[in-house]
Amino acid sequence: MAVRLSCCDAVSTIDDVALDTLPASIGRGEEADVRVFDTWASRIHCILIERDGRLWVEDRQSSNGTRLNGEFISEAEIRSGDQLTVGITTFRVTYSRVPANQLSKDSTARFAHL
């Protein structure tokens, strides 16, 4: 599964991130796979996992909670195009069920909205 996180904050503190390996953790700590420079984020805030070909997010008992499309969640399925908020950093999540290394240049530009 190929996952792209695109920061949609007015002032972005992180570039777009492409993930082709899951699980992947998001947080402000150096040990996070995706590091956000956000004091509202926990060191390991949440984790993205693949379950039965679908993308899921699990909160890791973060101090300020994880939100999906504005709703606080402990665990939820992510649909391509959803907004994931970690601390006060919001990402638009897009993904393809095809591994990143198998995407052609043309399909990368159209990154799937499943």
Side-chain angles (χ1 to χ4, degrees):
M1 177 174 288
V3 178
R4 182 179 313 258
L5 303 176
S6 302
C7 188
C8 50
D9 294 333
V11 178
S12 178
T13 60
I14 185 171
D15 293 331
D16 286 5
V17 177
L19 301 168
D20 56 2
T21 303
L22 296 174
S25 59
I26 304 173
R28 67 175 166 77
E30 290 182 18
E31 64 275 21
D33 297 312
V34 177
R35 191 168 179 205
V36 294
F37 298 94
D38 179 343
T39 57
W40 290 81
S42 296
R43 293 169 78 55
I44 296 293
H45 197 96
C46 63
I47 189 165
L48 300 177
I49 60 170
E50 182 178 356
R51 197 181 290 160
D52 298 323
R54 298 177 187 271
L55 184 63
W56 287 75
V57 60
E58 294 178 355
D59 183 76
R60 289 296 194 205
Q61 299 180 332
S62 62
S63 298
N64 295 304
T66 299
R67 289 178 283 155
L68 187 64
N69 299 320
E71 300 291 324
F72 285 100
I73 57 94
S74 58
E75 173 181 284
E77 181 180 350
I78 298 176
R79 300 194 189 285
S80 198
D82 282 352
Q83 290 191 348
L84 176 66
T85 304
V86 174
I88 58 172
T89 303
T90 300
F91 296 98
R92 182 169 175 263
V93 182
T94 53
Y95 69 92
S96 169
R97 292 186 180 112
V98 177
N101 61 0
Q102 292 180 10
L103 291 174
S104 69
K105 289 180 182 177
D106 290 338
S107 63
T108 302
R110 294 188 307 260
F111 217 78
H113 295 276
L114 303 174

